[in-house]
Amino acid sequence: MIFSDLQLACDMLIQGKVVAIPTETVYGLAAHGYNAQAMDQIYVLKNRPRMNPLILHYKDIESAEKDVLWTPLAKQLAHAFWPGPLTLVLERSPSCRVPLLASAGLPSLALRVPSHPLVRQVLERCPMPLAAPSANLSGYLSPTHPKHVQANFSVPTLDGGPCHYGLESTIIDCRTMPRILRPGAICQKEIENVLGHSVEIGQEKGLPSAPGQLREHYAPSKPVRLNATHVESNEGLLAFGPPLSGALMTVQLSLTKDLEQAASALFEGLYQLDRSPCASIAVMAIPEEGIGRAIQDRLYRASLAGL
Ligand code: TXA
Ligand code: MG
């Protein structure tokens, strides 16, 4: 069911039911953030390993005040980027109301304040935060449209149209030295401009602080070949700029090589090619600058899946 009744979405969430919600990044599979049973259904529906923690979505900083131990760095980033697609990882506070299931037993919690107007209204009307991973089966493409959610599950889906960014939030560990754990909709440079210094990207060696991230594949069911300079006649092409010729089917990410446009078209493009008769998917090179880093990350993971 795809629906647009906000109050119905809130009622179901308060009762502990799972509802797919739009965010500015991708659709989320949401459940009551203070109810372990409600959250458990997310893991079951997604077939998600329980060692992969969830992101909690709050209506504002104040409502998240009690659940984590804030650092000056986290406050600075929250003030600069919330509401918006930045997820902060902080230490759970002793008074944290979020069940340990959401943290996969870790002492930390990932949280963000989303900016999509519909999810903001839902959060305004609910007395709790929402735990919400991307609304796809574990390992599959992230959903940027209600029809993508429905292709994964038959959960009630609040219709917010296509997602603005089309890529997940950037995750940054703010407990001590800032570290970007997942590149995403907010690029490294924007974060560095706010902090006034450089920020490391990637997991700290020997410290699996985002265990689930290792398992994320964002993959279609067909093989993905990167940095294509030619294309086979049985391949589907994900083009960036003037397309290579000879593909069975071509989906354009951005003819003018606009990286924001390419990000918002990425998952829809992969869904289209995955459903098409092509045997595999060839992707033209995407530059690493700005949000291109996050596009590359998702495509690289997609290319590894099934190997
Ligand atoms: O844009 C987004 O972030 C979307 C929308 C729905 O908000 N959500 C999303 O959730 O991408 P998900 O579950 O697909 O990805 C969350 C990532 C996982 O890789 C998980 O390992 C990591 O966040 N994560 C969650 N809690 C964490 C924690 N305490 N420490 C480190 N990483 C964490
Ligand atoms: Mg995901």
Side-chain angles (χ1 to χ4, degrees), residues 46 134 136 142 168 216 218:
K46 275 186 67 97
S134 51
N136 53 278
S142 296
E168 296 83 352
E216 298 279 2
Y218 309 94

Side-chain angles (χ1 to χ4, degrees), residues 21 23 25-29 46 48 51-55 57 85 87 89-90 102-103 106-110 112 114 132-136 142 167-171 173 175 181-182 209-214 216 218:
I21 51 159
T23 83
T25 58
V26 301
Y27 275 74
L29 196 61
K46 275 186 67 97
R48 183 178 177 104
M51 52 79 79
N52 191 355
L54 305 175
I55 296 176
H57 298 67
T87 294
V89 171
L90 285 166
S103 300
L106 295 171
S108 59
L109 188 69
R112 77 182 190 97
S134 51
N136 53 278
S142 296
L167 274 185
E168 296 83 352
S169 61
T170 302
I171 303 180
D173 190 336
R175 285 172 292 178
L181 302 178
R182 175 177 72 181
S209 52
Q213 184 59 21
L214 302 173
E216 298 279 2
Y218 309 94

Side-chain angles (χ1 to χ4, degrees), residues 35-54:
N35 178 336
Q37 274 179 341
M39 263 178 224
D40 192 63
Q41 298 170 67
I42 294 179
Y43 284 93
V44 173
L45 276 167
K46 275 186 67 97
N47 193 21
R48 183 178 177 104
R50 279 180 172 68
M51 52 79 79
N52 191 355
L54 305 175

